[in-house]
Amino acid sequence: MAKTFSEARAALAQGHSVVAGTQAALAAAEAQQDLNAFLELFPHSALEQAARVDARLKAGDAGPLAGLVLSIKDNICYKDHKVSAASRMLQDFTSLYSATVVERLLAADAVILGRTNCDEFAMGSSNENSAYGPVKNPLNTSVVPGGSSGGAAASVAAGIVHAALGSDTGGSIRQPASFTGTVGFKPTYGRVSRYGLIAFASSFDQIGPFAHTVADAAALYQVMAGADPRDSTTSRKALEPLDLAHPGKLRIGYFHEGLERAGMDPEVVAHLHAQLDRLRAEGHTVEAVEVPLLDHQVPTYYILATAEASSNLARFDGIHFGHRSAKAQGVEETYRLSRSEGFGPEVKRRILLGTFVLSAGYYDAYYAQAQRVRRILRNKTLEAFERFDLLLGPTCPTTAFAHGAVTDPVAMYLQDIFTVQANLVGTPSISLPTGTHSNGLPFGLQLMAAPFADARLLAAAHNLF
Ligand code: GLN
């Protein structure tokens, strides 16, 4: 089976069919069921769509993604298909409508193979929080694939699909991309519609692609991006033309402070320095830059994201949405038991934290203060983009860890140390698989650009690495 979309397109030109490609992908998914990457395959709708695409290819009017086989994370709605956010709360819930991204991708002739496992309600960094069991990393099944979009990353890394949709609230596309040796792209906040994405933290969430190459990720982005009247947070700014030509000599900043922290893998640091030397030798300007408020980023993210989650998840009460306890009598008990039975421990922890930081008496000390820190961080990051085209750093401090190795929630939250800035500020950011550790596992470098410089970021990622 063709690994990348470009290869799949070449195969089509040689007379291969989309139906055959889809059948091969279904077989590959079946053969690798032990990864637990997919919660469900959609053979019926996938093969129907594939046959339609084959007909359009024959008629010469196929869309730009004809030949692409894709998976979607289990928090993205697809009409008449189940979506559960990997939670017991939404077990057997069927979507009444499709997310805007799903509509756009199908209209461009992509085939959706199935829905992928993830951390419950996208909360986590290892894909061990799913109500349907953990996902294994296809490169080494004893380690995690990262999270929360772990199934998405695994579905690409295992060669089952050409690309996958994930969501990134604090790093959930880029960290699993780093752990699985794939490309993971989080677009600028407001570039891709969130309509039909089950909300975790609405001012942070963005949908984005996983792929084997930047060009494939860019092809998906181009179809998905743009204003959507159904999501008022999408930007009406005109879409910048996507041009993957070499962007010329760039000004690149790198975060040196973060590299000296305890817990940084020395091989990841050495790799970054080697890449910086190469970029300098190629004529780019490379300078160290201070990370704004590094030690405040993760706490700020966890105050604001949990506050938003506690509000967004209030709708899952057994009456409006979600699992209803069979034991409950009366309204209050229905809320209490349904939520106690439906949510897993990490989701409960986040709801409690978020409710606490929003409660009267603590609001000013936590929530309002964190909003101020977010504003300062945004201003300082935008200032840095007056001097630099790109900011470069590691995606994660380490390579993928063993299942069960990280049990302390705070230690798990520190996985996000390099990724949350992009979500707090709204910048586009991409993780590229540039390194291989002596332990045999891959790791990524992360590039960030100014808000709405997505096209420039993709061009730099495509040509410089
Ligand atoms: N690891 C982060 C969290 O647990 C990020 C999650 C995400 O991006 N969805 O909140």
Side-chain angles (χ1 to χ4, degrees):
M1 203 191 122
K3 194 168 125 180
T4 68
F5 174 43
S6 328
E7 286 164 15
R9 260 205 295 225
L12 290 183
Q14 285 162 19
H16 286 247
S17 75
V18 182
V19 166
T22 305
Q23 276 163 341
L26 288 166
E30 297 280 356
Q32 300 184 76
Q33 262 181 32
D34 64 311
L35 295 174
N36 205 21
F38 282 88
L39 291 178
E40 191 186 354
L41 293 168
F42 303 143
H44 190 71
S45 56
L47 288 168
E48 261 181 18
Q49 166 81 349
R52 277 193 295 268
V53 178
D54 277 331
R56 277 196 282 273
L57 280 165
K58 234 187 188 149
D61 63 355
L65 298 183
L68 179 81
V69 180
L70 163 91
S71 68
I72 58 175
K73 184 175 177 179
D74 188 38
N75 59 356
I76 297 172
C77 294
Y78 180 9
K79 190 174 171 12
D80 298 331
H81 293 73
K82 282 186 195 163
V83 61
S84 77
S87 181
R88 261 175 56 69
M89 188 50 102
L90 285 172
Q91 188 157 19
D92 296 326
F93 177 81
T94 299
S95 292
L96 300 172
Y97 61 89
S98 286
T100 298
V101 291
V102 165
E103 282 183 352
R104 290 186 183 177
L105 291 166
L106 289 174
D109 284 344
V111 168
I112 298 178
L113 196 74
R115 60 185 169 106
T116 55
N117 204 347
C118 56
D119 283 307
E120 186 176 357
F121 284 98
M123 297 172 185
S125 299
S126 65
N127 213 141
E128 294 170 298
N129 294 337
S130 166
Y132 306 103
V135 176
K136 292 178 185 164
N137 190 322
L139 305 178
N140 174 345
T141 52
S142 69
V143 300
V144 302
S148 63
S149 315
S155 72
V156 174
I160 298 168
V161 286
H162 307 125
L165 290 192
S167 66
D168 191 313
T169 305
S172 279
I173 292 176
R174 290 159 289 153
Q175 187 251 19
S178 179
F179 281 12
T180 57
T182 53
V183 172
F185 175 45
K186 181 200 91 72
T188 297
Y189 183 83
R191 253 318 173 217
V192 174
S193 170
R194 293 180 295 110
Y195 179 78
L197 171 69
I198 296 177
F200 162 9
S202 309
S203 77
F204 297 84
D205 300 340
Q206 269 299 279
I207 296 172
F210 287 88
H212 287 288
T213 65
V214 174
D216 284 0
L220 267 88
Y221 167 73
Q222 200 167 27
V223 167
M224 292 192 290
D228 177 10
R230 294 182 295 191
D231 173 3
S232 63
T233 62
T234 51
S235 170
R236 293 208 188 83
K237 238 173 134 88
L239 265 185
E240 62 285 29
L242 193 67
D243 175 2
L244 292 181
H246 199 291
K249 304 278 180 260
L250 297 176
R251 300 164 303 163
I252 301 170
Y254 73 96
F255 294 136
H256 64 101
E257 254 177 278
L259 304 178
E260 286 139 29
R261 291 177 69 90
M264 272 306 301
D265 188 307
E267 288 191 37
V268 174
V269 178
H271 171 75
L272 175 69
H273 283 298
Q275 292 283 335
L276 292 170
D277 289 343
R278 176 184 61 81
L279 291 165
R280 259 190 217 105
E282 288 172 11
H284 302 284
T285 312
V286 177
E287 275 173 41
V289 29
E290 218 173 280
V291 194
L293 305 169
L294 181 64
D295 287 325
H296 297 277
Q297 288 185 19
V298 169
T300 303
Y301 166 78
Y302 276 92
I303 289 170
L304 297 175
T306 56
E308 294 185 25
S310 74
S311 164
N312 275 328
L313 271 58
R315 73 191 66 163
F316 303 105
D317 57 13
I319 294 174
H320 295 93
F321 286 99
H323 164 79
R324 182 179 298 180
S325 172
K327 289 183 244 153
Q329 286 178 345
V331 175
E332 203 196 306
E333 207 179 51
T334 300
Y335 287 164
R336 189 156 38 79
L337 289 184
S338 301
R339 287 168 70 80
S340 299
E341 292 166 8
F343 290 134
E346 182 60 26
V347 176
K348 285 178 186 158
R349 181 179 297 120
R350 306 275 182 119
I351 292 172
L352 290 172
L353 260 172
T355 307
F356 176 77
V357 300
L358 287 173
S359 56
Y362 294 103
Y363 181 94
D364 284 336
Y366 294 106
Y367 183 76
Q369 189 70 4
Q371 290 284 37
R372 288 187 202 104
V373 175
R374 186 180 197 182
R375 167 57 63 178
I376 296 170
L377 181 66
R378 180 172 164 88
N379 292 346
K380 285 190 180 294
T381 306
L382 296 185
E383 265 170 43
F385 283 120
E386 286 168 16
R387 291 189 291 132
F388 297 103
D389 302 304
L390 292 176
L391 296 178
L392 176 64
T395 308
C396 306
T398 62
T399 54
F401 44 87
H403 287 273
V406 181
T407 48
D408 171 38
V410 176
M412 191 68 92
Y413 299 168
L414 284 171
Q415 278 295 313
D416 306 326
I417 179 100
F418 298 122
T419 49
V420 290
Q421 184 178 2
N423 306 81
L424 282 159
V425 177
T427 61
S429 178
I430 190 165
S431 178
L432 302 171
T434 57
T436 305
H437 198 273
S438 58
N439 66 14
L441 291 169
F443 58 91
L445 281 186
Q446 174 180 250
L447 286 176
M448 235 193 297
F452 300 102
D454 302 65
R456 191 169 357 132
L457 177 67
L458 291 166
H462 180 66
N463 290 287
L464 266 52
F465 295 91

